[in-house]
């Protein structure tokens, strides 16, 4: 393959990278602080918070399979532009949510454009990558999420303090950054693809059936992640007395993600996908163990970095598994399938974590996260890994 064709950081890939950053920056600018917002603004309890926030993930989960169908069957750029516009618009709904019920409705509806948008953005990024550097490019693409995870929560806490605790400032800023994603999406130049043959409706157009053994392992791993990510802010404030500690937690988490993606890119370039995934899930488990067992700033911050290291190896490897189990005509379905599995686990973690925290406290809740993560690792090591190696496409 010639040097031009093998260029990783081409103009379209850079724009796709920027779109993903804007989407997730807008997302992380408000998500870690939503439990505090619901508690302070509406007086919501722990279980109620879990139910309110789970609606977003449930909606995202429901539309993900349709995202794969739309992305594979229609113009990927048009799908990207339309749903990035909708994603930006729904942020405005939070500004007018005067009751907990209205807020929950807007939050749930927001999952629809987010579900389709992330599928289309990921698929477009994979499309514009040279085939010989695709796995490596997937790893670097995730850095856009990681940087958003570093900057978003830390910025949110700083901005919230500067604004005197006015959460509406964060909602406005999220709207602005989501709108920037619209501009980048519209400016992309994508090749025209023949579409008619790809609009056949079948079960495999909505979920990659070949990918279910990998999804089975990913589901509990995502559940553990959903528990910790959602309740880390309120746990730090109520149990450890760290009012501003959440920003540093997510900063360390993202630093771990970035370092592992950079160090793991060479292995992905050599297609050592299973090895990267194995390393990632094992490292993450130690992070969850530290978080659950050491109730102090050392455990709190140390676990963030370790879980980040593990997830940075794990996620691009799992995504590469889904991509390598099918051909390019079903690429959108492969992307939507892994995101569906992840969303299902995160949603389960948000809901079960709220119920567990309500009845047993945060200490028991995070031990549950550790145990669920361990189950996912066992499924991967003894079932999913071997299945992928036997069925991957060369």
């Amino acid at each position: 393959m010639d040097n031009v064709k093998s260029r990783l950081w081409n103009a379209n890939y850079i724009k796709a990278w920027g779109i993903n950053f804007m989407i997730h920056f807008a997302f992380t600018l408000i998500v870690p602080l939503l439990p505090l917002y619901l508690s302070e603004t509406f007086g919501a309890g722990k279980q109620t918070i879990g139910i309110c926030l789970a609606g977003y993930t449930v909606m995202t989960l429901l539309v993900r399979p349709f995202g794969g169908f739309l992305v594979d069957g229609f113009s990927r750029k048009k799908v990207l532009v339309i749903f990035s516009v909708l994603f930006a618009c729904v942020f405005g709904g939070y500004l007018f949510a005067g009751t907990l019920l209205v807020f929950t409705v807007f939050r749930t509806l927001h999952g629809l454009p987010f579900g389709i948008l992330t599928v289309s953005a990921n698929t477009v990024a994979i499309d514009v990558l040279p085939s010989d550097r695709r796995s490596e490019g997937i790893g670097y693409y995730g850095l856009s999420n990681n940087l958003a995870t570093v900057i978003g929560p830390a910025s949110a806490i700083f901005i919230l303090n500067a604004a005197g605790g006015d959460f509406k400032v964060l909602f406005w800023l999220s709207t602005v950054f989501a709108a920037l994603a619209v501009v980048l999406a519209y400016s992309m130049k994508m090749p025209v693809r023949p579409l008619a043959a790809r609009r056949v409706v079948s079960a495999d157009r909505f979920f990659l059936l070949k990918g279910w053994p990998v999804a089975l392992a990913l589901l509990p791993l995502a559940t553990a992640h959903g528990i910790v990510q959602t309740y880390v802010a309120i746990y730090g404030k109520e149990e450890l007395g760290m009012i501003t500690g959440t920003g540093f937690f997510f900063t360390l988490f993202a630093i771990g993600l970035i370092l592992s993606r950079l160090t793991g890119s060479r292995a992905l370039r050599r297609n050592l996908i299973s090895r990267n995934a194995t390393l990632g899930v094992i490292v993450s488990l130690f992070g969850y163990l530290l978080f659950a067992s050491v109730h102090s700033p050392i455990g709190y911050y140390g676990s963030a970095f370790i879980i980040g290291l593990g997830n940075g190896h794990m996620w691009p490897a799992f995504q590469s598994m889904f991509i390598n189990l099918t051909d390019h005509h079903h690429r959108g379905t492969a992307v939507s399938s892994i995101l569906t599995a992840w969303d299902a686990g995160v949603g389960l973690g948000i809901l079960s974590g709220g119920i567990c925290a309500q009845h047993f406290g945060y200490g028991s809740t995070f031990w549950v996260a550790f145990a669920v993560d361990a189950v996912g690792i066992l499924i991967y090591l003894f079932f999913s890994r071997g299945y992928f190696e036997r069925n991957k496409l060369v």
Side-chain angles (χ1 to χ4, degrees):
M1 185 172 289
D2 58 62
N3 291 333
V4 175
K5 195 172 184 180
S6 294
R7 182 185 176 190
L8 179 62
W9 293 94
N10 58 70
N12 274 331
Y13 180 67
I14 292 172
K15 288 178 181 179
W17 198 96
I19 291 168
N20 201 46
F21 174 83
M22 295 302 173
I23 293 169
H24 287 89
F25 182 76
F27 181 80
T28 58
L29 197 59
I30 63 171
V31 166
L33 296 176
L34 283 181
L36 291 176
Y37 173 71
L38 295 177
S39 176
E40 295 177 3
T41 305
F42 302 112
K46 297 173 184 175
Q47 186 170 335
T48 303
I49 290 172
I51 294 172
C52 291
L53 299 182
Y56 177 93
T57 306
V58 170
M59 177 63 76
T60 303
L61 174 64
L62 291 176
V63 303
R64 288 283 198 207
F66 297 97
F69 178 78
L70 290 173
V71 169
D72 283 341
F74 298 88
S75 167
R76 287 175 178 169
K77 178 179 176 178
K78 287 183 180 179
V79 173
L80 180 64
V81 171
I82 291 170
F83 285 94
S84 61
V85 170
L86 292 176
F87 178 70
C89 289
V90 180
F91 271 111
Y94 300 140
L95 296 165
F96 304 100
T99 67
L100 182 61
L101 176 60
V102 175
F103 181 91
T104 303
V105 170
F106 277 114
R107 185 63 184 163
T108 301
L109 289 176
H110 211 172
L112 193 157
F114 181 78
I116 308 295
L117 176 57
T118 46
V119 171
S120 59
N122 275 264
T123 307
V124 165
I126 296 169
D127 278 349
V128 300
L129 284 167
S131 59
D132 61 331
R133 304 188 69 179
R134 185 166 295 134
S135 294
E136 180 189 5
I138 290 172
Y140 285 126
Y141 180 75
L143 287 175
S144 55
N145 299 26
N146 305 152
L147 289 174
T149 304
V150 171
I151 302 171
S155 300
I157 293 170
F158 175 80
I159 293 168
L160 188 63
N161 290 334
D166 187 357
F167 282 89
K168 288 188 176 181
V169 175
L170 296 179
F171 297 147
W172 274 115
L173 286 174
S174 291
T175 305
V176 171
F177 283 101
L180 292 176
V182 177
V183 175
L184 287 174
Y186 187 78
S187 68
M188 291 189 75
K189 300 183 185 300
M190 299 293 295
V192 178
R193 298 163 51 245
L195 302 172
R198 299 191 181 95
R199 293 182 182 173
V200 177
V201 177
S202 64
D204 204 40
R205 307 301 296 122
F206 297 94
F207 189 87
L208 187 67
L209 299 182
K210 286 182 64 179
W212 76 264
V214 181
L216 187 64
L218 191 62
L219 184 68
L221 300 176
T223 300
H225 181 79
I227 292 173
V228 171
Q229 183 188 49
T230 304
Y231 298 101
V232 65
I234 199 167
Y235 162 72
K237 180 180 180 181
E238 294 187 359
E239 300 286 333
L240 302 180
M242 297 187 299
I243 299 176
T244 60
T246 307
F248 192 45
F249 177 93
F250 282 102
T251 298
L252 289 173
F253 176 79
I255 290 172
L257 283 167
I258 293 169
L259 288 177
S260 60
R261 286 186 186 272
L262 293 175
T263 57
S265 62
R266 183 177 179 182
L268 289 174
R269 191 184 310 164
R270 294 161 56 197
N271 278 325
L272 300 176
I273 297 172
S274 295
R275 192 184 78 172
N276 252 29
T278 302
L279 175 63
V281 296
I282 292 175
V283 170
S284 292
L285 183 65
F286 282 103
Y288 288 114
L289 176 61
L290 180 62
F291 192 87
S293 60
V294 181
H295 298 277
S296 70
I298 293 176
Y300 188 82
Y301 294 125
S303 63
F305 180 72
I306 296 172
I307 294 172
L309 281 176
N311 282 18
H313 282 292
M314 177 189 76
W315 177 257
F318 270 85
Q319 186 169 353
S320 294
M321 286 182 184
F322 275 83
I323 297 299
N324 281 284
L325 285 171
T326 188
D327 57 51
H328 68 280
H329 295 304
H330 296 81
R331 190 171 289 158
T333 305
V335 171
S336 71
S337 296
I338 184 175
L339 294 177
T340 297
W342 184 259
D343 287 340
V346 169
L348 184 61
I350 293 172
L351 189 58
S352 61
I355 295 172
C356 189
Q358 179 76 31
H359 295 286
F360 304 106
Y362 289 111
S364 298
T365 301
F366 297 132
W367 275 114
V368 169
F370 167 75
V372 170
D373 191 71
V375 170
I377 291 175
L378 291 175
I379 294 173
Y380 168 74
L381 292 177
F382 294 103
F383 177 55
S384 307
R385 180 172 59 176
Y387 172 86
F388 169 72
E389 291 296 336
R390 292 190 301 271
N391 293 277
K392 65 182 179 181
L393 301 180
V394 179

